[in-house]
Amino acid sequence: MVWRHYGISGLGGFFRRFALGRMSLWWWLVLLVGMPAVFYAGAAINGNLTDPFPFSPWYALLPALLPMLFIGPIEELGWRGVALPLLQRRFSPLWAGLLLGLLVAVWHTPSFLLSGTKQSAWAFWPFFFGVVAISVILTPMFNAARGSLLVSFLFHAQMNNPIWPDAQPWDMYLFVATAVVVAVVNRKALLDRGAAVTAILTPGDEPDDTGNDAAPVNRFPGRAVGRHAV
């Protein structure tokens, strides 16, 4: 979609969003500490917190980390790379995050119908609502990071990290509770369309409606001014 609408040169502006990553220390703590804490808390409730480390020897973890960084997170090129900015052009960040979460949850539904997938052993509804909750958590973080693809990739990688214990379904319940807290704490930003990143490309790369280069950017970094129909 980016190639079709902006051309090959536009792909550079799209992928330069990986260079965006400035956000508050609190958001970095949520990303790097808070997300793993949810898995460990869920495992504690499940009673498997003390299960042995699943990789032996420890360096067997290394080949497992590679798909964690790409297979799941590459979805974010579509989810947060394109879909969320477009949704935020028409809806507040809260509604955009909820709608995108529903879409992502439906996208993963076929995995529950296939034998051999990890989802086939999980309860469906906790996972479904957990995915929606995760989208709500990531939305204000994404906006705070000015539409960073790097932050979106790291967030998704945290969700797939093989180090964290399998805490289903309690981790999903806890993500729902976390999403409520995040939504309450960030309610002003989540209800303010002016605080939403709507640009597909990095600031300064987004063309205006006539196809000219570099439409002006308003007071919120990463939000392009003007209508950009895709």
Side-chain angles (χ1 to χ4, degrees):
M1 289 182 66
V2 175
W3 187 353
R4 180 176 182 273
H5 188 69
Y6 298 107
I8 294 178
S9 61
L11 290 174
F14 178 71
F15 286 113
R16 274 192 288 274
R17 287 170 57 192
F18 276 103
L20 302 175
R22 295 184 62 183
M23 60 183 181
S24 72
L25 176 61
W26 288 109
W27 278 124
W28 280 110
L29 288 174
V30 170
L31 175 62
L32 300 178
V33 179
M35 305 307 288
V38 170
F39 287 105
Y40 281 105
I45 298 173
N46 257 352
N48 62 332
L49 182 60
T50 58
D51 284 357
F53 190 65
F55 297 94
S56 181
W58 68 267
Y59 51 80
L61 169 67
L62 299 179
L65 289 175
L66 188 61
M68 173 205 79
L69 292 172
F70 293 101
I71 292 179
I74 202 169
E75 296 176 10
E76 295 302 328
L77 294 177
W79 300 141
R80 254 56 62 165
V82 175
L84 185 57
L86 294 182
L87 285 169
Q88 291 190 139
R89 293 178 186 182
R90 299 189 178 274
F91 304 101
S92 69
L94 177 60
W95 285 110
L98 285 169
L99 288 170
L100 182 58
L102 287 171
L103 178 61
V104 176
V106 170
W107 169 269
H108 286 89
T109 296
S111 298
F112 287 84
L113 307 177
L114 300 173
S115 61
T117 64
K118 59 183 180 181
Q119 286 89 351
S120 63
W122 293 348
F124 174 75
W125 287 113
F127 177 86
F128 188 94
F129 288 112
V131 169
V132 176
I134 288 164
S135 180
V136 172
I137 297 169
L138 179 52
T139 296
M141 184 185 299
F142 169 86
N143 287 329
R146 301 185 299 157
S148 170
L149 286 176
L150 174 64
V151 167
S152 302
F153 261 59
L154 292 175
F155 188 100
H156 204 128
Q158 287 283 59
M159 301 304 302
N160 294 356
N161 197 325
I163 296 178
W164 315 142
D166 184 359
Q168 287 282 337
W170 283 102
D171 52 354
M172 295 293 105
Y173 294 140
L174 292 174
F175 277 124
V176 172
T178 301
V180 172
V181 173
V182 168
V184 171
V185 172
N186 296 276
R187 59 189 179 278
K188 290 184 178 180
L190 281 171
L191 296 175
D192 180 10
R193 292 180 64 182
V197 171
T198 61
I200 303 298
L201 311 184
T202 52
D205 289 317
E206 191 94 356
D208 61 22
D209 292 329
T210 63
N212 298 324
D213 292 334
V217 178
N218 74 355
R219 61 178 176 81
F220 186 82
R223 176 178 168 83
V225 173
R227 296 175 294 107
H228 306 289
V230 174

